[in-house]
Amino acid sequence: MSQTLSTDVLIVGGGVAGLWLNARLRAKGYATLLVERDSLGGGQSVKSQGIIHGGAKYALHGALSGASEAIADMPRRWREALDGSGELDLSGVRLLSDAHYLWSPGTLAGNLTSFFASKAVRGRVDQVKGDQLPPALQNPKFKGKVYRLAELVVDVPSLIARLAELAGDSLLAADDIQPLHENGQLAGLCVDGREIRAQRIVLSAGRGNADLLTSLNVAQPNQQLRPLHMVMVKGPSLKPLYAHCLGGGPKPRITVTSHPSADGEWVWYLGGDLAEADGVARDEAAQIEAARKELSQLLPWIDLSTAQWATLRVERAEPAQSGLVRPDNAFLSDQGALLVGWPTKLALAPDFADRVLSHLERDGIRPADHPALPELPRPVIGRTAWETSF
Ligand code: FAD
């Protein structure tokens, strides 16, 4: 039997939620261990579009929802971290775009009055024209209106790499997780046969939380999965674009982010309504055809004749909500020594960490002394779909 380890907080799941939390805890002097089964960030995190939302997308509904309020502060917190002056030092992380744009094709600008009046966007949205337009929209044929949102887009692989650096020696690649009980209480986990004792255990395993809860014999919280069918297009004619294109409905018609690939070409990653229910129902060929049609209608001057296409199916894992709606904030449930949650958005990873920290504070959990960790098998960093698909 391997030796027993002990730590203050044992985290299961090395996506953005677990890694951000781990870095925050270590910065506050807590001993931590983070267990990852596959690759760091390789679940949802590196499949995300990397937009650090400030809530503008949600304010498109017209009414200001809880989400718009809670998320409004996230761009500032991320910006400070990226500048090296925030709660974490993320100064080496690549910023893909300093702004995300809202683009209304043709005459659609119509009924945006309540949107511009909402708190999440008030004072944070400016119309841009001419050479201030994103490069992909700088064409005489472009007729729409474009607004600059004070939201960032981060390169998620470089974010995950930096968070892994901040994790120091606290990462452990391991697969099998069993509860470790003492006097009828959860005292830690048995990880690949090795006992790890901890003051608190945090499950931040994304969609893996459901199976972990089952193996720990814990019934709540329930999880919901919401599928997406994303499209990737890669080609020499693509210039960077980070924008929600408005349609008639409450969700953007299409959300485009652009990601650098190793050969210098850009990959456009397409989400929004295109990737939701109707897109999920399409097979890969039909989904690519739908995306091709959208782009040729919206951006007819872009030559896609030599572009390569691929799709990616991925599910968003979240706490169950009635009617499968999107939850409003990071979510955390506590059951004694066990804390379980989902950030619900990459942008809300700081909010997820805040919630864990306030539980520790409330329960008087302080950093304790622990023997030094032995050298542990370290999980690798996840690869993006555009690296593996083309
Ligand atoms: P994950 O990144 O899935 O990490 C969970 C980790 O736990 C994984 O590494 C997994 O391997 C590990 N794990 C699972 N089970 C176990 C186990 N038993 N033992 C050990 N480890 C385990 N949010 C935004 O804010 N902005 C966006 O632009 C954005 N775009 C998105 C686009 C898409 C297509 C999708 C699907 C989501 C997007 N999101 C976005 C949401 C965002 O990606 C997620 O909310 C966030 O990445 C979830 O992070 P996480 O750490 O909870 O989960």
Side-chain angles (χ1 to χ4, degrees):
M1 167 70 80
S2 323
Q3 82 201 89
T4 299
L5 304 180
S6 81
T7 191
D8 293 320
V9 183
L10 174 55
I11 301 168
V12 184
V16 71
L19 286 167
W20 189 290
L21 170 66
N22 189 34
R24 289 266 338 256
L25 290 169
R26 286 170 59 85
K28 289 188 174 292
Y30 287 97
T32 62
L33 256 174
L34 183 153
V35 181
E36 169 56 49
R37 175 177 67 178
D38 295 319
S39 58
L40 298 170
Q44 270 188 81
S45 298
V46 296
K47 299 184 179 102
S48 84
Q49 295 193 280
I51 306 164
I52 306 305
H53 303 281
K57 182 171 81 160
Y58 309 124
L60 282 175
H61 299 256
L64 179 61
S65 70
S68 318
E69 291 275 16
I71 208 168
D73 203 27
M74 290 300 141
R76 179 193 61 80
R77 286 177 69 175
W78 279 82
R79 216 177 276 280
E80 285 174 9
L82 291 163
D83 286 348
S85 60
E87 59 210 60
L88 295 178
D89 178 4
L90 301 183
S91 47
V93 172
R94 179 169 181 179
L95 186 63
L96 290 176
S97 180
D98 195 38
H100 196 67
Y101 293 84
L102 196 65
W103 141 47
S104 86
T107 55
L108 243 175
N111 201 3
L112 288 175
T113 323
S114 55
F115 167 73
F116 286 116
S118 76
K119 189 177 160 193
V121 294
R122 211 183 308 146
R124 297 166 186 239
V125 182
D126 303 304
Q127 191 174 352
V128 292
K129 294 181 178 170
D131 61 6
Q132 290 178 327
L133 288 171
L137 303 182
Q138 291 185 20
N139 186 283
K141 291 194 188 134
F142 179 70
K143 293 284 178 283
K145 287 202 167 115
V146 180
Y147 303 89
R148 187 181 197 277
L149 305 175
E151 302 186 348
L152 326 168
V153 187
V154 295
D155 179 53
V156 179
S158 76
L159 166 68
I160 297 293
R162 175 62 183 148
L163 291 173
E165 239 171 64
L166 293 175
D169 63 357
S170 67
L171 301 176
L172 168 60
D175 187 16
D176 183 57
I177 291 183
Q178 303 295 331
L180 177 66
H181 285 118
E182 226 171 54
N183 306 324
Q185 303 285 336
L186 190 67
L189 297 174
C190 202
V191 178
D192 281 359
R194 188 198 297 265
E195 291 185 358
I196 306 179
R197 277 156 210 283
Q199 301 196 63
R200 287 292 178 270
I201 298 151
V202 180
L203 305 186
S204 56
R207 63 172 300 152
N209 277 348
D211 286 347
L212 284 165
L213 288 171
T214 306
S215 66
L216 297 179
N217 209 11
V218 176
Q220 294 289 334
N222 287 323
Q223 170 175 298
Q224 73 181 27
L225 295 175
R226 288 189 304 138
L228 286 171
H229 194 181
M230 305 290 287
V231 180
M232 291 169 279
V233 50
K234 176 173 191 277
S237 58
L238 297 181
K239 295 177 182 165
L241 178 61
Y242 301 91
H244 299 301
C245 173
L246 296 179
K251 285 198 171 147
R253 173 170 167 182
I254 193 166
T255 297
V256 186
T257 49
S258 311
H259 305 269
S261 63
D263 63 7
E265 286 184 0
W266 288 94
V267 177
W268 279 11
Y269 192 33
L270 311 176
D273 215 28
L274 171 78
E276 299 273 352
D278 290 349
V280 171
R282 291 182 200 113
D283 65 17
E284 179 171 21
Q287 180 66 341
I288 288 174
E289 204 33 54
R292 192 194 293 274
K293 214 167 132 195
E294 277 291 71
L295 292 186
S296 55
Q297 264 179 23
L298 292 166
L299 306 162
W301 57 89
I302 293 184
D303 176 12
L304 294 170
S305 57
T306 59
Q308 302 173 66
W309 298 80
T311 70
L312 174 72
R313 289 187 185 275
V314 52
E315 288 175 311
R316 291 158 290 183
E318 301 161 340
Q321 309 282 300
S322 57
L324 272 193
V325 292
R326 178 185 46 77
D328 277 354
N329 301 305
F331 172 92
L332 190 72
S333 142
D334 77 311
Q335 336 206 349
L338 183 69
L339 306 175
V340 188
W342 297 265
T344 78
K345 284 264 125 201
L346 175 113
L348 286 164
D351 184 36
F352 180 78
D354 286 353
R355 284 163 198 265
V356 174
L357 284 162
S358 70
H359 273 274
L360 300 184
E361 182 73 22
R362 184 201 66 187
D363 292 352
I365 305 292
R366 305 256 173 272
D369 287 333
H370 301 276
L373 293 171
E375 198 169 324
L376 298 168
R378 195 173 169 90
V380 297
I381 293 182
R383 298 183 68 207
T384 60
W386 41 95
E387 276 177 287
T388 52
S389 300
F390 296 113

